[in-house]
Amino acid sequence: MITKILIGLAGVIAIFLIVVALRPADFRVERSAALSAPPAALFENVNNHRKFTAWNPFMKLDPKVKNAYSGPEAGVGAVCSWDGNKDIGAGSATIIESRTSELVRMGMDWKRPMEGIATVDFTYKPEGDKTIVTWAMYGKNNFMGKVVSIFMDCDKMCGPHFEKGLADLGAIAAATPAAHMTAK
């Protein structure tokens, strides 16, 4: 009897491991919004980590988060490290590419609750009196990431935060004096 239970349990575990191994390694979460601010004003609020944390919805999940900044204040090489509660964990974001009013690309490195890396892009496309801003996060899941993806949908977890963040970014950028001067 115990032998049959152990064989059955081993079979279930083997099937689970096969399902995990066959899951796609790539992941991507992306949201876009048409914001009433020029690309330069939006870019400025992403390309500088201190400005980014003012509207970043993830930082709002922990009012006591500890942020540390290193490298240049803005642009390539600027780093923001955070250490927060269970909702945001700990990690760092490094700007690895920056093209004025076009793109900010960050390398994300999470330390907890689970280690992982990803790339985050912010792109800006003028369209009439608005700018289409796209916030995308993508990368590859390791085996443990694939296991977690069976139980947690990254798009459903992060997508609503991206939408909220884009709305807050638009409000902040539209309210800055530079946004009004550039828009004329």
Side-chain angles (χ1 to χ4, degrees), residues 39-125:
L42 296 158
F43 171 85
E44 179 182 307
N45 282 282
V46 176
N47 196 49
N48 180 317
H49 285 300
R50 285 175 175 82
K51 292 180 180 181
F52 180 53
T53 57
W55 59 267
N56 182 342
F58 295 100
M59 293 298 168
K60 294 175 182 175
L61 296 174
D62 180 4
K64 296 179 182 177
V65 63
K66 293 179 185 129
N67 290 318
Y69 304 96
S70 59
E73 185 164 327
V76 174
V79 179
C80 175
S81 298
W82 68 91
D83 189 358
N85 64 19
K86 66 177 179 60
D87 294 325
I88 66 170
S92 65
T94 304
I95 297 177
I96 57 176
E97 189 174 349
S98 177
R99 294 193 310 258
T100 303
S101 301
E102 291 179 23
L103 168 75
V104 175
R105 177 167 289 148
M106 298 180 199
M108 304 296 292
D109 185 12
W110 288 276
K111 299 297 180 198
R112 75 176 159 76
M114 188 171 98
E115 289 190 14
I117 59 172
T119 302
V120 171
D121 287 348
F122 287 88
T123 57
Y124 314 88
K125 180 182 173 198

Side-chain angles (χ1 to χ4, degrees), residues 133-153:
V133 180
T134 300
W135 183 353
M137 178 177 67
Y138 54 95
K140 293 204 176 285
N141 280 324
N142 58 21
F143 189 81
M144 196 59 189
K146 289 180 181 184
V147 169
V148 171
S149 75
I150 289 175
F151 304 103
M152 300 171 80
D153 184 336

